[in-house]
Amino acid sequence: MNPDKLHRFLFQQKHVRGELVQVADSLDQMLKNHDYPLPVKQLLAELVVATSLITATLKFDGEIAVQLQGDGPVKFAAVNGDNQQNFRAVVRLQAELSGSSFRELIGEGYMIVTITPRQGERYQGIIPLTGDTLTSTLEGYFAQSEQLPTRLYIFTDISDKNTAAGLMLQVLPVEPEKAAADFAELVVLADTVTADELLTLPAEQMLYRLFHQEQVELFQAQDVRFVCGCSREKCETALYSIGKDALNEHIAEGKLEMTCEYCNQQYHFNADELQQISNQL
């Protein structure tokens, strides 16, 4: 397996495009400092793959956030990424887990996709969770937002070496009748994919295994990376906004500890450092 890569591909004689993403090292980095229950880790891994696939369909320079919000034990799960395939993720629980399926974790709720280009208008799509899996919810998102038939396959293996992978097929917006027929034909082939194949085979081998009778153009791969972005300087900047009264309370306690919810890194400020910040307010 060639880990942590996004591969875009195109069928030369079919009106269908595709993407294949595999993550391992970056997923390990995201999960290693968190003690989330196994089903929650699996959900986050799926959401990382989903965000990568969504981002790859967009032509933009900016940031994306894919969020799940529900009334189940997982109140909130989100992956923040950008067009460079950098990502970070967070989850918030509000109850003990009562099951491990997608709907048992999330319950009733929504998927929210927010796209913030560095130039241009911000877009937000809100999709009710009508399906029983993340993939069915995503297929609903593409049907609603882009009105393009889309098929997704997402698998995870959360163990000593965390891995996750996803495959997406999507029609091209040309010659609708031919595109629909091409898509239906390729989905039959893609439906034979197994978790082990998608998680372990190199992209070229995976695509040949599924579509060896087709002419597939595979474009240059893009790295996928976990990038938290937190720092002591950013924490210090945040302290300027909490006000003198709150700072004085922590000064009296002799310290303040801040924890990044994305990577669990802790930042410690002693009383003297807090006093210096307070003196500048």
Side-chain angles (χ1 to χ4, degrees), residues 178-207:
K178 179 179 181 341
D182 290 344
F183 180 73
E185 181 180 337
L186 292 172
V187 163
V188 172
L189 300 175
D191 280 347
T192 66
V193 69
T194 67
D196 184 64
E197 290 171 336
L198 195 54
L199 289 167
T200 63
L201 292 181
E204 296 86 348
Q205 189 175 345
M206 179 75 260
L207 294 177

Side-chain angles (χ1 to χ4, degrees), residues 13-14 185 189 207-208 210-216:
Q13 298 177 333
K14 299 280 195 298
E185 181 180 337
L189 300 175
L207 294 177
Y208 182 79
L210 291 175
F211 310 116
H212 61 275
Q213 294 180 330
E214 303 294 333
Q215 294 182 18
V216 180

Side-chain angles (χ1 to χ4, degrees), residues 115-135:
I115 300 165
T116 308
R118 291 184 176 87
Q119 294 183 343
E121 295 185 1
R122 180 172 176 264
Y123 163 83
Q124 186 171 78
I126 302 176
I127 312 298
L129 300 181
T130 56
D132 292 329
T133 63
L134 179 59
T135 53

Side-chain angles (χ1 to χ4, degrees), residues 124-165:
Q124 186 171 78
I126 302 176
I127 312 298
L129 300 181
T130 56
D132 292 329
T133 63
L134 179 59
T135 53
S136 62
T137 299
L138 285 166
E139 288 171 357
Y141 162 75
F142 282 111
Q144 176 177 314
S145 66
E146 300 187 22
Q147 298 181 342
L148 295 174
T150 304
R151 179 61 61 90
L152 292 113
Y153 310 83
I154 297 177
F155 298 108
T156 66
D157 181 10
I158 305 303
S159 56
D160 292 337
K161 180 61 175 177
N162 300 311
T163 58

